[in-house]
Amino acid sequence: MNLWLIPVLPLIGFAITGIFGRRLSRTAVSAIAVGSVFLSFVWVLRVLAGMSTFEAPYVERYFTWFRSGDLSIDVSFGLDRLTAVMLLVVTGVGLLIHLYATGYMAHEGGYYRFFAFLNLFMFFMLVLVLANNFLLMFVGWEGVGLCSYLLIGFYFLEKFATTAGNKAFIVNRIGDFGFSLGMFLMVITFGSLSFDTVFPAVEKMPPETGAGILTAISLLLFVGATGKSAQIPLYVWLPDAMAGPTPVSALIHAATMVTAGVYMVARCWTLFTHSQVTMEVVAIIGLATAVLSATIGLVQNDIKKVFAYSTVSQLGYMFLGLGSGAFAAGVFHIVTHAFFKALLFLGAGSVIHALAGEQDLQRMGGLRKHIPITFWTLLAAAVAIAGVPPFSGFHSKDAILIAAHHHAPWMYWVGVATAAMTAFYVFRAIFLAFFGEYRGTAHPHESPPAMWAPLAVLAFLSLAGGYIPVLEFLEPVFPHMEEEHDILLVMFSVMAGLAGIALAYFMYVLRPGFAGALAARFAGAYRLLYNKYFVDEIYAAAIVDPVVQGSRSILWRGFDVHLIDGIVNGIGHRSHNIGALMRMWQSGNIRSYAAWVVLGSLIVIIALGFGGLR
Amino acid sequence: MMEHLLSLTLFTPAAGALVVMLLPAQRTRLIRWWANGAAAAGFLVSLLLLWRFDRHNGGFQMVERADWIPMLGAKYLIGVDGISLLLVLLTTLVGFLAILSAWSAIRERTKEFYTLMLLLQTGMIGVFTALDFFLFFVFWEVTLVPMYFVIGIWGGPRKLYAAIKFFIYTLAGSVLMLLGILTLYYQHSRQFGYYTFEISELMKLQLPPGLEQFVFWTFFLGFAIKVPMFPFHTWLPDAHVEAPTAGSVILASILLKMGTYGFIRFSLPLLPGASTSPLVVQVMVVLSLIAIVYGALVCLMQRDWKRLVAYSSVSHLGFCTLGIFALNHEGLAGSILQQINHGISTGMLFLIVGVIYERRHTREIRDFGGLAHVMPNYAVVFAVAMLSSAGVPLLNGFIGEFTILRGVFQVNRVWAGVAALGIILAAAYLLWLYQRTMLGELHDPHNRGLHDLNWRELAVFAPLIALVFWIGVYPKPYFDILDKPVAAIVERLHTAGSSEQAAERAPVGGGAGR
């Protein structure tokens, strides 16, 4: 069925815009970039329509990538139900965001460069999703990280943007360090990196011998996931990544790339479920990340920062679901989150576009009247993420929370509290931006149709997407979970969300001074949250500075320059006097030097061999 | 003619150099065209080797044998297996590109420059093809002299210090290596009754373990200084910084590989017992790991663009030596491929520094910034080289590092873990370098008028970029070429490790991995 066309189409787009883009018109660049993703999307639909049944995973093998020793790595793609869901999300949402970007980036320099990188990202993301072995998945995995680096640093005049790009790449590399070690461990355990070999072998492993090694492998893979999907302790790159253009934030840092870790864990559910320890770690890290970043999100004033921490938090939810054994629910949340979070970012982009670059919520207000389409679509995203029934976020979040309750009731309650915070910070942003009086100085204007049309589609999906039967569709893929239908549990989480909205309405619409007073009253806590628990500063002081300063003063200046070269030069000076004697040998003639070396060697050999030993 | 294809490859550059010597010094244009033509011809001739090469044969091919100094038992004996073939091709290609890159950079004493560069080519090809230890040693020394003069004459402000340091360091190493060679030579006469330097003959020696260790360490000094392994690396930054671009490229891409090649071709097969002994393996691995991490950390702190690239070589070559002393198929094959990769990507990085140095006559990182505005093609080329050096998948460096680490991981997980840290640090220093030179505002007015790569410079980079992608996307042909000769070496190591003195020489860490 030529699965390879799905990633290769955007790759062709990248090649054309990347090589000839400077000489092409903007219209041509847009047509190629959007067109290639559109064709890819169409091909996905075609392929899926052709899949009458998903009983056995469908695999296409192309060629042997490399073979060294006993390990052979194929370039092969596979398609099952999980892949199908991911393909639809990536190409579908990707298409909408490409379309939106043609409007958003219309006045920016480096237009072709932007779309070339965006297409390249699509290629790597689709490789990641389609890969049928870990190494090929890793190609996509690192590749999307590379594109993320390139696109975060898109505004390369700004130092903070390029620094944020570096940070993203390096922090992800730390995660990939774990991923690679996990792969090596798989190679020596199973002798293969192919999904077709590894997963059946895991199933066959006797629990008493397999538990240790499977825990190690799955934990190492999860380290990779904490990098890519921005979980504790490696989440710090994602908020900074918002330095990139907003469509990038929507596509890469909300809807698709950051869910790669979730996808990977779901793909490897066989591995993960064989280790109780890992499952517990996944659930706890997910939950802790969800809470921590939600609290930070409560007080941020940059509209994109709020949504960025929200993304970290929602990813935490997904891992909570996975760790609780609800893989389908976690993937379902990828889908709904792709809708509403892409919409939140694109809506935020529309606001920023309307205000000529303003991102500070404190300098917005009253925009409801100026940019109504943006307002209504953003509201749709907000109710979806807040878990208001019957909108999309409600369905997936509810599935996760119920699974968490089944796993450990306290996790459910922490999750519910986080849901309340989620609703609060999203509506805080909505109220600050769209209600009250306008506090800025720009002249807000509604965005062009290329931008609001994707918003409208995503709004529809955010509202109604919960009725896409993702859970049912994925049922045959994952291990069966006992269902627990407690209407009370559903009600608690819904009420928490509604309470969050109500509180935000009270604080930012009814009593606008109240939030400031509260912040002043609890200044210490406020500063702690506003400064994101000083995690960046702690990392800098504990890791970055010692490495950098130590390298300079101890290793290079001290060891290299002083110690080793001190010894070398010392020997040199000793022999200086001998050198003076030898100077008469120096004639400065090139040929004689060469001759001396060769002759000298000869003499040594002859002298030793025929004079000395005979 | 075809029977002497290897000799033809070997001596084409030298013949070119001979003609340059005869040309009048003031005819610089003629000399330049001729030298570039000779280097290009050398590359084209070497490509024919590929056509004659049989990759299903693990032994030496295209062997040519003639008596040279019968009194000593020294022969003119050359041949290639997959390992040396790849290195020869790297030499002819990179050598040609380095000469091409010097087109406008070398304006003084062009005749001498091109003579030396071409002689150097022959010397390096000789090192990679010699199957007679005496011949090898002569070529090994022959490479030293032209490089000494290239640094000393066309170098930067501290060229004399750097050239002498380079010369003394490596000469000290090779003198000790000679001692080791002679030990084998006399042992052979003692055991078999006649003198020979032929590698395949010397492989039949049965050495007492103590003597084998001694010879290993003499070889070690010769090769480790050349690589250079920590702590013998301090000649490298000075030599690189002072050398002209073409010299740096040759030095990094090829000359350093003579050290790693020496370990693979001589230390391992000739001294399998010593090479697999716990002491040797531990020392080699620890020094490699230090080089990887230490080199990368020191890179972070460099203010001189070229010195940074030089230190990155220390780190990358650490991967190569680590792979060798994993002593298994993956480690060795990965190491050789990574040597090729390093030749390509670090060669590119030095060419990149050279391009900017020729325009601005400074290498201080802080003098740059925002170059991507004025030199967009240059920025793209640099990005490819940087990502290749950082080991990003689908580019060449990833394949090498992955294979090496996989081999090392089988032996000892901690070693692999420490080495993998180097990959994180590589990303850090390379991205930071790129940010400080290419990105941001163009703050220095001197950089405003810089012109982008010209056609000649693009022509230098184009084949290297093609290789970066080829090896990254489809490295199978390279592994196929390496498969048989690497298997032969591993086989020899294993029989040595298991048969004679099995108890004493059990491979280190084998229990930890499996």
Side-chain angles (χ1 to χ4, degrees):
Chain A
M1 273 192 291
N2 294 324
L3 291 177
W4 59 273
L5 269 176
I6 298 170
V8 166
L9 284 165
L11 183 67
I12 294 171
F14 159 73
I16 298 174
T17 43
I19 296 170
F20 307 109
R22 233 178 292 169
R23 265 159 279 162
L24 293 177
S25 70
R26 289 190 173 219
T27 327
V29 169
S30 327
I32 293 163
V34 178
S36 68
V37 178
F38 175 72
L39 289 177
S40 178
F41 178 62
V42 169
W43 197 254
V44 168
L45 294 179
R46 220 198 86 113
V47 165
L48 294 185
M51 292 288 286
S52 49
T53 166
F54 278 98
E55 287 321 308
Y58 169 76
V59 175
E60 278 181 10
R61 207 191 142 276
Y62 303 108
F63 60 93
T64 302
W65 185 14
F66 66 94
R67 177 167 41 220
S68 166
D70 48 3
L71 180 71
S72 173
I73 306 278
D74 286 342
V75 173
S76 60
F77 288 152
L79 181 64
D80 66 354
R81 286 167 184 256
L82 177 57
T83 314
V85 171
M86 292 303 289
L87 283 177
L88 283 172
V89 171
V90 173
T91 53
V93 177
L95 176 61
L96 291 174
I97 295 174
H98 270 71
L99 193 61
Y100 173 94
T102 58
Y104 187 84
M105 299 300 286
H107 311 297
E108 303 276 353
Y111 191 78
Y112 78 94
R113 188 163 54 93
F114 178 83
F115 279 101
F117 292 161
L118 217 53
N119 270 359
L120 185 65
F121 167 78
M122 292 299 286
F123 164 72
F124 279 120
M125 189 69 208
L126 291 165
V127 167
L128 192 163
V129 169
L130 281 165
N132 199 41
N133 64 59
F134 281 97
L135 199 65
L136 196 58
M137 184 193 236
F138 190 68
V139 168
W141 186 270
E142 281 253 307
V144 291
L146 169 68
C147 297
S148 157
Y149 159 77
L150 293 169
L151 284 162
I152 294 169
F154 178 75
Y155 298 120
F156 66 87
L157 287 178
E158 311 284 352
K159 185 149 189 291
F160 72 85
T162 54
T163 306
N166 288 357
K167 184 173 175 182
F169 196 85
I170 294 163
V171 171
N172 267 295
R173 267 278 160 110
I174 297 172
D176 297 348
F177 169 79
F179 196 117
S180 324
L181 293 184
M183 283 198 291
F184 296 134
L185 203 51
M186 273 190 267
V187 171
I188 59 174
T189 313
F190 307 110
S192 170
L193 285 175
S194 167
F195 294 161
D196 308 335
T197 319
V198 171
F199 297 143
V202 170
E203 295 281 18
K204 282 194 211 88
M205 262 188 150
E208 43 305 348
T209 57
I213 193 91
L214 293 180
T215 301
I217 293 175
S218 51
L219 278 179
L220 285 168
L221 290 178
F222 184 61
V223 170
T226 60
K228 193 72 42 195
S229 293
Q231 298 295 293
I232 292 172
L234 298 180
Y235 70 94
V236 288
W237 65 272
L238 185 57
D240 290 23
M242 300 304 143
T246 303
V248 172
S249 310
L251 177 62
I252 301 184
H253 305 119
T256 55
M257 181 189 86
V258 290
T259 60
V262 183
Y263 164 75
M264 186 269 290
V265 173
R267 166 66 63 207
C268 307
W269 65 268
T270 329
L271 262 166
F272 280 77
T273 48
H274 274 76
S275 167
Q276 276 310 308
V277 179
T278 309
M279 290 295 274
E280 203 59 41
V281 169
V282 172
I284 289 174
I285 291 277
L287 187 61
T289 310
V291 180
L292 181 97
S293 48
T295 56
I296 298 174
L298 294 176
V299 297
Q300 298 304 313
N301 281 330
D302 183 326
I303 186 168
K304 284 180 74 181
K305 277 267 157 74
V306 174
F307 295 156
Y309 279 103
S310 160
T311 304
V312 178
S313 178
Q314 296 299 310
L315 290 165
Y317 265 115
M318 296 176 205
F319 283 108
L320 173 63
L322 301 179
S324 309
F327 292 97
V331 176
F332 189 21
H333 204 52
I334 292 183
V335 177
T336 58
H337 179 257
F339 299 152
F340 60 67
K341 189 50 66 66
L343 179 51
L344 281 176
F345 273 111
L346 294 185
S350 180
V351 171
I352 296 165
H353 191 78
L355 301 181
E358 183 59 68
Q359 303 198 10
D360 189 345
L361 285 168
Q362 302 297 348
R363 298 170 54 116
M364 297 179 186
L367 297 179
R368 191 170 29 149
K369 297 181 282 289
H370 301 286
I371 43 174
I373 304 176
T374 306
F375 167 67
W376 286 107
T377 49
L378 261 181
L379 194 64
V383 293
I385 190 177
V388 177
F391 308 122
S392 64
F394 160 74
H395 296 266
S396 54
K397 192 183 283 187
D398 210 54
I400 289 174
L401 285 175
I402 286 176
H405 187 266
H406 186 68
H407 181 72
W410 68 271
M411 288 187 174
Y412 165 83
W413 290 109
V414 178
V416 167
T418 309
M421 286 192 267
T422 307
F424 175 82
Y425 63 64
V426 167
F427 274 90
R428 170 179 173 266
I430 296 280
F431 293 141
L432 279 175
F434 292 97
F435 287 71
E437 289 305 311
Y438 182 55
R439 299 180 292 274
T441 51
H443 300 284
H445 55 91
E446 187 59 276
S447 300
M451 286 170 69
W452 65 251
L455 292 185
V457 176
L458 284 170
F460 171 73
L461 290 169
S462 298
L463 296 176
Y467 292 98
I468 303 173
V470 176
L471 286 173
E472 293 74 11
F473 182 70
L474 289 174
E475 205 166 64
V477 180
F478 297 119
H480 183 67
M481 284 235 353
E482 291 165 54
E483 304 246 341
E484 191 179 13
H485 274 301
D486 192 336
I487 192 70
L488 264 181
L489 295 180
V490 180
M491 274 178 56
F492 280 131
S493 69
V494 169
M495 273 157 54
L498 292 176
I501 299 172
L503 185 63
Y505 188 73
F506 172 75
M507 281 174 66
Y508 296 98
V509 180
L510 294 183
R511 298 272 302 277
F514 186 74
L518 209 61
R521 179 89 175 71
F522 299 98
Y526 177 78
R527 213 167 322 127
L528 188 68
L529 291 183
Y530 187 75
N531 291 299
K532 309 140 195 162
Y533 298 101
F534 297 98
V535 171
D536 277 326
E537 287 75 8
I538 294 169
Y539 281 4
I543 301 166
V544 180
D545 291 346
V547 167
V548 171
Q549 292 309 323
S551 306
R552 189 205 310 271
S553 47
I554 301 170
L555 293 184
W556 181 44
R557 285 273 161 71
F559 197 83
D560 236 77
V561 175
H562 282 126
L563 189 69
I564 302 184
D565 267 2
I567 296 171
V568 171
N569 291 338
I571 297 172
H573 280 297
R574 286 285 150 69
S575 48
H576 188 76
N577 295 330
I578 310 169
L581 265 179
M582 304 292 276
R583 196 160 298 149
M584 57 185 68
W585 294 79
Q586 286 188 8
S587 60
N589 186 315
I590 295 172
R591 262 152 286 178
S592 77
Y593 273 99
W596 276 122
V597 172
V598 177
L599 247 174
S601 323
L602 275 173
I603 291 168
V604 171
I605 293 163
I606 294 166
L608 275 172
F610 294 86
L613 288 184
R614 269 202 189 156
Chain B
M1 203 59 180
M2 273 323 189
E3 305 84 77
H4 298 295
L5 191 57
L6 199 53
S7 289
L8 194 65
T9 311
L10 175 56
F11 289 112
T12 301
L18 213 63
V19 175
V20 174
M21 277 187 222
L22 298 176
L23 294 173
Q26 62 274 22
R27 302 283 304 273
T28 48
R29 263 179 68 87
L30 178 64
I31 290 173
R32 194 172 284 142
W33 275 100
W34 173 261
N36 278 281
F43 172 59
L44 293 177
V45 170
S46 72
L47 281 182
L48 294 177
L49 295 173
L50 214 52
W51 166 65
R52 288 254 294 165
F53 186 79
D54 171 18
R55 63 189 165 88
H56 302 293
N57 178 347
F60 289 100
Q61 305 179 31
M62 293 175 255
V63 176
E64 293 175 39
R65 177 192 296 269
D67 275 342
W68 181 27
I69 313 176
M71 190 176 65
L72 296 177
K75 292 187 198 70
Y76 174 75
L77 180 59
I78 56 172
V80 286
D81 65 355
I83 300 171
S84 31
L85 178 70
L86 287 183
L87 287 165
V88 167
L89 291 173
L90 179 74
T91 308
T92 53
L93 174 65
V94 173
F96 165 52
L97 297 178
I99 288 175
L100 184 59
S101 79
W103 190 275
S104 56
I106 301 295
R107 303 208 164 274
E108 289 168 7
R109 309 175 84 164
T110 35
K111 178 174 163 173
E112 285 85 347
F113 178 80
Y114 285 113
T115 310
L116 289 168
M117 290 296 281
L118 288 170
L119 281 179
L120 190 56
Q121 281 287 94
T122 292
M124 294 183 300
I125 300 170
V127 165
F128 294 132
T129 52
L131 299 179
D132 180 281
F133 230 141
F134 187 80
L135 187 67
F136 167 81
F137 188 75
V138 169
F139 280 125
W140 177 277
E141 294 295 290
V142 160
T143 60
L144 194 52
V145 181
M147 188 45 91
Y148 169 75
F149 285 110
V150 167
I151 298 172
I153 297 175
W154 295 273
R158 293 174 74 227
K159 57 191 179 188
L160 279 182
Y161 173 74
I164 292 171
K165 193 172 178 182
F166 163 75
F167 195 86
I168 302 285
Y169 241 117
T170 36
L171 192 65
S174 42
V175 166
L176 287 162
M177 179 172 76
L178 182 61
L179 202 63
I181 296 176
L182 291 176
T183 310
L184 292 181
Y185 179 65
Y186 292 120
Q187 276 296 319
H188 189 272
S189 143
R190 188 166 299 162
Q191 289 183 16
F192 295 91
Y194 63 98
Y195 288 101
T196 183
F197 285 101
E198 199 174 326
I199 309 295
S200 53
E201 293 289 322
L202 296 178
M203 275 167 73
K204 295 174 186 154
L205 283 172
Q206 297 288 330
L207 296 176
L211 192 66
E212 200 181 340
Q213 283 277 341
F214 166 76
V215 176
F216 181 89
W217 290 113
T218 60
F219 282 12
F220 165 80
L221 282 171
F223 299 144
I225 287 175
K226 205 76 171 184
V227 169
M229 293 180 74
F230 179 90
F232 305 110
H233 64 275
T234 61
W235 65 267
L236 182 82
D238 286 315
H240 268 311
V241 168
E242 300 307 326
T245 303
S248 294
V249 172
I250 295 285
L251 194 57
S253 297
I254 304 158
L255 275 181
L256 306 187
K257 309 307 177 313
M258 287 165 42
T260 42
Y261 175 78
F263 280 119
I264 295 171
R265 172 68 69 231
F266 302 109
S267 300
L268 262 46
L270 283 171
L271 313 163
S275 302
T276 50
S277 74
L279 173 74
V280 164
V281 173
Q282 256 151 26
V283 170
M284 297 305 290
V285 165
V286 168
L287 291 183
S288 304
L289 292 178
I290 293 178
I292 291 171
V293 176
Y294 178 91
L297 286 175
V298 173
C299 274
L300 277 176
M301 276 346 297
Q302 297 307 315
R303 301 199 180 107
D304 183 312
W305 190 339
K306 207 171 177 187
R307 196 173 278 271
L308 193 158
V309 179
Y311 272 110
S312 80
S313 285
V314 175
S315 184
H316 280 99
L317 266 298
F319 274 101
C320 296
T321 49
L322 181 68
I324 296 173
F325 284 88
L327 301 175
N328 53 26
H329 193 286
E330 293 74 31
L332 270 169
S335 170
I336 298 157
L337 190 65
Q338 189 63 1
Q339 289 167 36
I340 307 291
N341 291 336
H342 177 264
I344 295 165
S345 46
T346 308
M348 274 175 81
L349 288 174
F350 275 119
L351 287 167
I352 284 160
V353 186
V355 165
I356 203 68
Y357 186 73
E358 206 181 321
R359 286 160 171 68
R360 281 281 276 112
H361 299 287
T362 171
R363 289 182 304 258
E364 287 285 315
I365 293 171
R366 65 158 164 236
D367 289 342
F368 300 106
L371 293 186
H373 292 277
V374 281
M375 306 172 73
N377 291 334
Y378 179 70
V380 172
V381 170
F382 187 12
V384 172
M386 166 189 84
L387 296 171
S388 142
S389 190
V392 170
L394 295 191
L395 304 182
N396 58 349
F398 173 71
I399 304 288
E401 282 171 355
F402 177 82
T403 316
I404 290 174
L405 287 178
R406 185 170 92 75
V408 174
F409 194 88
Q410 290 181 5
V411 182
N412 188 310
R413 289 162 200 191
V414 178
W415 298 348
V418 174
L421 286 178
I423 300 183
I424 301 177
L425 292 171
Y429 65 73
L430 285 165
L431 293 184
W432 196 30
L433 170 68
Y434 195 81
Q435 180 190 21
R436 286 180 294 167
T437 52
M438 294 288 120
L439 307 179
E441 300 270 7
L442 194 71
H443 55 74
D444 192 327
H446 291 105
N447 296 332
R448 216 165 293 266
L450 293 179
H451 52 96
D452 206 348
L453 298 177
N454 61 32
W455 284 107
R456 178 183 53 80
E457 288 163 333
L458 280 174
V460 170
F461 285 114
L464 296 173
I465 291 179
L467 281 170
V468 163
F469 282 100
W470 180 16
I471 300 179
V473 174
Y474 194 60
K476 195 165 164 288
Y478 294 85
F479 282 116
D480 286 348
I481 285 181
L482 292 173
D483 195 49
K484 287 272 154 44
V486 167
I489 294 174
V490 172
E491 172 72 27
R492 194 167 159 76
L493 290 172
H494 278 212
T495 46
S498 53
S499 66
E500 29 174 316
Q501 294 106 5
E504 193 189 345
R505 290 168 181 169
V508 192
R514 307 241 175 208

